[in-house]
Amino acid sequence: METDRRGLLGGAVAGAALLAPGAATAQGGDMDKIRRAVSAGHDEAIARLRQWIALPSIAAENRDMDKGAAMMAQMARDAGFQQATIVPTDGAPGVFATMDNGAAKTLGLYFMYDVKQFDPAEWTSPPLEGRIVDKPGLGKVLVGRGAVNQKGPESAMLAALHAFKRAGVKPPVNLVLVAEGEEEIGSPHFKQIVERPEVLAALKKCSGVIIPAMWQDPTTGDFTINLGAKGIVELELIASADNWDRGPTRDIHSSQKAIIDAPAWRLVKALDTLVSEDGNTPTIDGWFDKVRPLTAREKALIAESARVRDSADALRQAGVKKWIGEESWQATLERLAAMPTVNIEGLVAGYTGPGGKTILPAKATAKLDFRLVPNQTYADCVAKVRAHLDKRGFQEIAVKVGGGYDPTETAEDSALIRAERATCERAGVKTTVYPRLAGSWPGYIFTGAPVSLPAGQFGLGHGNGAHAPDEYLLIESTNPKVMGYDAATAVFADFLYQVAAIA
């Protein structure tokens, strides 16, 4: 593939900034060697990412999970991990790998090798091809399922480790990698991987854990450091005659609605009790009992984010015209951080093809996700959904729980967050600190007992479209404020030096 990397770090002010003094620097010009190695390995790294995207391990479909774990383990070995083993669970297998560089500090890496489902008909280029196309205003992007969530950023971290090998430079920290294949269904078995004695012992040696990300703002190049993430519950509510002495046991003619109850309407009525009249505030009994209000410091961080981030630009990127309630930008960002949510992912009942079919469906299903904030817990919230429905006479509505986990939090003054900030400063990237990501990842496994480490997402560069058609990762940037793939890869290398230096 032909590339124009404009002095390696194409589309990034970081090219010069990474040469500037900082909290830590590589010894004897090693960082220069690593940057040259990143450039030399560019085509190889992109080919590796495209090969990874071509294998779609999809937990929800139980598709290629063993192959996905095997590829993950081999990629770890190829990047320099001395050992990488496949870890069985009651679900999809995980991977545990270690790299001993004789360093004083150890960093944990969390990877996921699974991706969301996709419908090729909704994509403008094949979702498993990893085709590189021009995206106006950004540059050349790689389009594929998993491009930004999460294979692209993870591949850049692996590319950084390959660059260390190519340059003949030993990474400044030891590494522990734990990877799973069920993040996209709520990580139901990830705890089984982490709590294995050998994995837990290795993680306890770490100073922190990150999941690689590429989250620069595509317009300004700014980066937000999140001090945590919301938790999540994923479940289905199912209405049918299985648990009900009403309604049809099979689809019947819709004329019978005059005398027979409809599971679809029963489900709609149950769903309506979960939220306020406008659908925007949870009304589940006791849902807010344990919710911790924003602290004064969190409100201050949000106020600063509101000052430097542009509401109109955020609306444009989200593809919407108005925020809920049309409140102030600061109030909107406070809501984003502090409001637990009840979301309908999908509704399925009866016939949905062309034209009408005039049936009374025997079954109706709603797929929901609930985002949780401190101090809510996964187990307590699942129990509250069941109790809420039972109290209102919906005992027959089945609650089929998929997966999920608690919220996660990391201290602002932790060494991991300070290393993230130092890396961004050296790269010349403006940062803001935000209380928590509105999305979710199973960081609670690391921040909670028995691991009890700081953990978060980190990485520069840019991508978008997670879970959606035409998911993409920026490869060559035309915006000098936003890093392309090579620049982001070099930043991961520099981040390891900051982790090594900051106590």
Side-chain angles (χ1 to χ4, degrees):
M1 182 185 70
E2 292 296 322
T3 59
D4 173 17
R5 291 185 280 284
R6 289 174 292 284
L8 169 65
L9 300 181
V13 295
L18 280 178
L19 296 172
T25 55
Q27 297 298 313
D30 282 349
M31 198 62 213
D32 288 337
K33 297 177 185 176
I34 292 165
R35 282 193 293 274
R36 289 194 292 270
V38 169
S39 182
H42 174 88
D43 290 354
E44 177 184 293
I46 298 303
R48 187 164 50 243
L49 173 56
R50 296 183 72 184
Q51 182 182 16
W52 200 3
I53 285 173
L55 179 65
S57 301
I58 302 175
E61 300 174 350
N62 194 26
R63 179 177 177 182
D64 291 332
M65 304 315 296
D66 289 341
K67 291 179 181 178
M71 178 176 280
M72 181 74 263
Q74 188 58 55
M75 292 175 74
R77 296 185 199 104
D78 293 343
F81 286 85
Q82 290 100 348
Q83 73 82 26
T85 58
I86 294 176
V87 181
T89 75
D90 291 339
V95 174
F96 166 56
T98 55
M99 183 189 295
D100 184 355
N101 296 311
K105 287 190 177 180
T106 301
L107 176 69
L109 298 175
Y110 166 82
F111 278 22
M112 49 182 279
Y113 66 82
D114 64 319
V115 297
K116 276 294 186 187
Q117 309 92 308
F118 57 87
D119 179 356
E122 297 175 341
W123 292 61
T124 60
S125 63
L128 301 183
E129 182 178 316
R131 183 178 297 176
I132 294 179
V133 302
D134 290 319
K135 193 169 184 66
L138 283 175
K140 292 187 181 298
V141 303
L142 184 149
V143 178
R145 176 51 86 222
V148 69
N149 183 29
Q150 214 54 49
K151 291 178 177 179
E154 291 168 353
S155 77
M157 172 61 80
L158 294 175
L161 298 179
H162 277 275
F164 276 100
K165 287 176 62 179
R166 187 185 295 266
V169 176
K170 188 173 289 189
V173 294
N174 309 314
L175 295 170
V176 173
L177 170 68
V178 284
E180 65 161 322
E182 296 181 323
E183 197 282 338
E184 295 292 11
I185 59 170
S187 304
H189 302 104
F190 185 48
K191 203 169 188 179
Q192 294 179 11
I193 299 170
V194 170
E195 292 189 350
R196 289 174 68 100
E198 69 274 23
V199 178
L200 185 57
L203 284 170
K204 281 184 170 291
K205 297 176 183 178
C206 296
S207 59
V209 180
I210 67 157
I211 173 174
M214 287 187 174
W215 285 348
Q216 274 185 287
D217 184 282
T219 302
T220 66
D222 295 351
F223 178 73
T224 298
I225 295 174
N226 293 291
L227 300 179
K230 290 183 178 180
I232 190 171
V233 175
E234 284 197 281
L235 56 78
E236 295 180 0
L237 298 185
I238 305 168
S240 72
D242 290 348
N243 303 311
W244 199 25
D245 60 0
R246 298 172 177 272
T249 57
R250 55 181 173 78
D251 291 357
I252 61 175
H253 196 282
S254 66
S255 64
Q256 298 297 298
K257 179 64 194 76
I259 57 173
I260 297 176
D261 290 288
W265 278 118
R266 186 68 172 167
L267 179 61
V268 168
K269 296 298 184 182
L271 290 170
D272 195 45
T273 71
L274 303 180
V275 292
S276 58
E277 187 66 24
D278 63 3
N280 295 326
T281 304
T283 55
I284 301 166
D285 294 338
W287 204 247
F288 287 87
D289 288 353
K290 296 184 178 181
V291 169
R292 192 201 74 205
L294 291 171
T295 66
R297 177 57 181 163
E298 287 172 334
K299 287 187 175 183
L301 290 173
I302 292 171
E304 176 61 14
S305 290
R307 187 185 68 82
V308 301
R309 295 166 63 186
D310 183 65
S311 177
D313 190 51
L315 283 166
R316 180 186 59 77
Q317 290 182 39
V320 297
K321 295 180 179 179
K322 296 179 180 179
W323 305 120
I324 284 175
E326 299 182 59
E327 298 178 311
S328 70
W329 182 219
Q330 181 172 330
T332 295
L333 290 179
E334 288 184 359
R335 183 182 179 91
L336 183 65
M339 176 61 74
T341 64
V342 176
N343 176 60
I344 298 175
E345 299 176 356
L347 284 170
V348 181
Y351 179 71
T352 59
K357 197 177 180 183
T358 60
I359 60 167
L360 195 169
K363 182 179 179 181
T365 301
K367 292 178 178 289
L368 292 92
D369 65 63
F370 305 77
R371 302 287 173 168
L372 315 180
V373 301
N375 293 318
Q376 291 181 298
T377 65
Y378 167 82
D380 182 60
C381 288
V382 169
K384 282 176 174 171
V385 170
R386 179 72 272 173
H388 174 93
L389 293 172
D390 290 350
K391 182 178 177 180
R392 285 155 181 79
F394 294 104
Q395 292 91 342
E396 84 286 354
I397 299 288
V399 178
K400 182 181 177 181
V401 180
Y405 35 78
D406 297 347
T408 179
E409 294 187 278
T410 287
E412 185 180 357
D413 63 354
S414 66
L416 184 73
I417 298 301
R418 288 187 286 125
E420 292 186 15
R421 297 191 76 158
T423 306
C424 291
E425 288 170 7
R426 283 168 50 75
V429 173
K430 184 187 297 183
T431 63
T432 54
V433 179
Y434 194 69
R436 69 190 54 87
L437 179 69
S440 306
W441 74 291
Y444 87 103
I445 288 284
F446 306 115
T447 58
V451 182
S452 303
L453 293 173
Q457 312 86 7
F458 181 72
L460 302 181
H462 172 71
N464 209 339
H467 299 189
D470 289 345
E471 179 180 354
Y472 70 84
L473 185 78
L474 183 60
I475 303 299
E476 296 179 22
S477 178
T478 55
N479 182 344
K481 297 178 180 179
V482 183
M483 295 186 184
Y485 187 87
D486 285 357
T489 297
V491 164
F492 277 127
D494 190 64
F495 174 67
L496 299 185
Y497 283 104
Q498 305 315 308
V499 170
I502 294 177

